[in-house]
Amino acid sequence: MNQQRKLQVGKITFTNILPVYHFFDEASLGKYVEFIPQVPAELNKKMKEGSIDLGPISAFAYGENAHHYSLLPNLSISSTGKVMTVLLFSKKPLHLLKESSIALTNQSATSINLFKIIMEKFIGGKPSYTVMESSLQRMMKQHDACILIGDDATLSNWNNPGYLVYDLGDLWYHYTGYPMTFAVWAVRDEVVQQYSDQLYAVYQGFIQSKQRGRAQIGEVIQYAMNHFGGSEIHWQTYFSILSYDFNEEHRAGLQHYYDLATEMGLLKQAVQLKFCFTEAPTMRING
């Protein structure tokens, strides 16, 4: 018989996660789940330590721990082309950064390794890298370019003093033809084994919340405007280019990312995608 306890679920403190979390039915599912707000890097760390059971971890973090984690199907943060929140700010054109000094955000392993793949595999560069706290002004004071993600990237782009800006999702699509998956919903394997009933209920809750988030995106946009600022057209564009699905094309693109990362030595061993469930749930939870 399944054990019972509240699952500790990570919640990225970025606006890109809103359509999946905004309509999550905590009234019905509160007995199953406790949300833990975190930035991506801290969520990755706590998942690995075991203090968080599941959450939208960075795609690279899943690659590092695929032998301990399983994936929830039909959930990701992906884009085909521009993603708008994974940006390279540069003092000079991309092809002139081959031997430059690049500051990397300390908030996302996926994005910084994506940039390394693009720069070293596709452009043929070998710049020097420094991981720093996210601050456009401090990063660019010491370096030729920097990578910012999430709301830091959005705000910096809104207030850009004149740097060239490259979207890493767009660059990945240009060089590979694949969408890029930045985050996946991963679960520690022991949770799958010991708490499958609760996990399935929480999974259904996320799928239903995602469906409502897509159908009622206007409410999500209003929330983002009230809590973060920006115009309605900005958020309409932003949420329209993000995909929260995890279809065959998304999986193929992510597998290509893992294969290149392994080839370059960024990952220690080959990665295969492993799922908790074979299909999205069809039954619904009643309040």
Side-chain angles (χ1 to χ4, degrees), residues 14-24 206 208-214 217 220 238-239 242 244:
F14 287 169
T15 51
N16 62 3
I17 212 74
L18 280 176
V20 178
Y21 278 80
H22 187 72
F23 291 104
F24 190 90
F206 276 128
Q208 292 173 32
S209 182
K210 181 183 79 166
Q211 291 168 345
R212 285 190 64 191
R214 183 178 289 149
I217 193 63
V220 178
Y238 176 53
F239 289 126
L242 289 178
Y244 298 97

Side-chain angles (χ1 to χ4, degrees), residues 127-152:
S128 61
Y129 303 113
T130 302
V131 177
M132 297 180 62
E133 290 188 11
S134 296
S135 166
L136 180 65
Q137 183 178 4
R138 287 195 297 272
M139 293 165 111
M140 296 301 282
K141 185 176 182 180
Q142 304 173 42
H143 302 279
D144 299 308
C146 72
I147 300 289
L148 290 173
I149 69 161
D151 298 336
D152 291 325

Side-chain angles (χ1 to χ4, degrees), residues 58-60 85-87 104-105 107-118 147-150 168 180 182 257:
S58 77
F60 191 82
T85 52
V86 183
L87 302 178
L104 305 174
T105 175
Q107 293 186 336
S108 173
T110 298
S111 300
I112 65 177
N113 285 294
L114 174 61
F115 179 73
K116 290 177 180 179
I117 291 170
I118 292 169
I147 300 289
L148 290 173
I149 69 161
L168 267 61
M180 180 62 203
F182 292 93
Y257 170 84

Side-chain angles (χ1 to χ4, degrees), residues 94-95 98 117-125 171 175:
L94 186 66
H95 68 279
K98 291 182 179 180
I117 291 170
I118 292 169
M119 176 55 67
E120 299 176 29
K121 198 73 178 175
F122 303 142
I123 298 175
L171 291 174
Y175 285 110

Side-chain angles (χ1 to χ4, degrees), residues 59-71:
F60 191 82
Y62 173 77
E64 289 182 306
N65 299 281
H67 51 301
H68 293 307
Y69 296 168
S70 296
L71 295 170

Side-chain angles (χ1 to χ4, degrees), residues 46-283:
K46 290 185 180 297
M47 276 277 295
K48 188 174 182 178
E49 293 172 349
S51 56
I52 287 181
D53 297 317
L54 68 134
I57 67 170
S58 77
F60 191 82
Y62 173 77
E64 289 182 306
N65 299 281
H67 51 301
H68 293 307
Y69 296 168
S70 296
L71 295 170
L72 293 179
N74 307 306
L75 289 170
S76 78
I77 301 175
S78 302
S79 72
T80 301
K82 288 185 178 181
V83 66
M84 291 178 64
T85 52
V86 183
L87 302 178
L88 170 72
F89 294 84
S90 180
K91 297 174 182 175
K92 48 191 176 183
L94 186 66
H95 68 279
L96 296 180
L97 291 175
K98 291 182 179 180
E99 298 180 359
S100 297
S101 173
I102 315 291
L104 305 174
T105 175
N106 63 354
Q107 293 186 336
S108 173
T110 298
S111 300
I112 65 177
N113 285 294
L114 174 61
F115 179 73
K116 290 177 180 179
I117 291 170
I118 292 169
M119 176 55 67
E120 299 176 29
K121 198 73 178 175
F122 303 142
I123 298 175
K126 195 69 176 178
S128 61
Y129 303 113
T130 302
V131 177
M132 297 180 62
E133 290 188 11
S134 296
S135 166
L136 180 65
Q137 183 178 4
R138 287 195 297 272
M139 293 165 111
M140 296 301 282
K141 185 176 182 180
Q142 304 173 42
H143 302 279
D144 299 308
C146 72
I147 300 289
L148 290 173
I149 69 161
D151 298 336
D152 291 325
T154 299
L155 284 170
S156 295
N157 201 22
W158 286 350
N159 301 294
N160 182 11
Y163 298 121
L164 296 171
V165 180
Y166 296 91
D167 188 304
L168 267 61
D170 201 30
L171 291 174
W172 171 258
Y173 184 70
H174 171 75
Y175 285 110
T176 69
Y178 283 119
M180 180 62 203
T181 294
F182 292 93
V184 290
W185 266 255
V187 188
R188 293 179 60 83
D189 283 340
E190 63 266 28
V191 174
V192 179
Q193 296 161 6
Q194 297 175 24
Y195 303 100
S196 59
D197 292 344
Q198 296 96 304
L199 177 61
Y200 196 69
V202 171
Y203 174 52
Q204 291 183 75
F206 276 128
I207 292 295
Q208 292 173 32
S209 182
K210 181 183 79 166
Q211 291 168 345
R212 285 190 64 191
R214 183 178 289 149
Q216 298 171 238
I217 193 63
E219 184 174 327
V220 178
I221 289 170
Q222 191 61 54
Y223 181 92
M225 290 172 62
N226 292 343
H227 289 78
F228 192 74
S231 66
E232 183 175 0
I233 190 65
H234 166 80
W235 293 112
Q236 285 176 342
T237 303
Y238 176 53
F239 289 126
S240 72
I241 66 174
L242 289 178
S243 174
Y244 298 97
D245 300 327
F246 197 27
N247 61 30
E248 186 174 345
E249 191 176 12
H250 294 135
R251 297 193 297 271
L254 183 56
Q255 189 64 61
H256 188 51
Y257 170 84
Y258 287 143
D259 292 345
L260 291 174
T262 304
E263 186 179 313
M264 290 175 59
L266 301 173
L267 288 170
K268 295 180 180 178
Q269 57 188 18
V271 177
Q272 289 189 324
L273 304 180
K274 178 181 65 177
F275 291 89
C276 300
F277 314 115
T278 56
E279 297 179 357
T282 55
M283 53 187 264

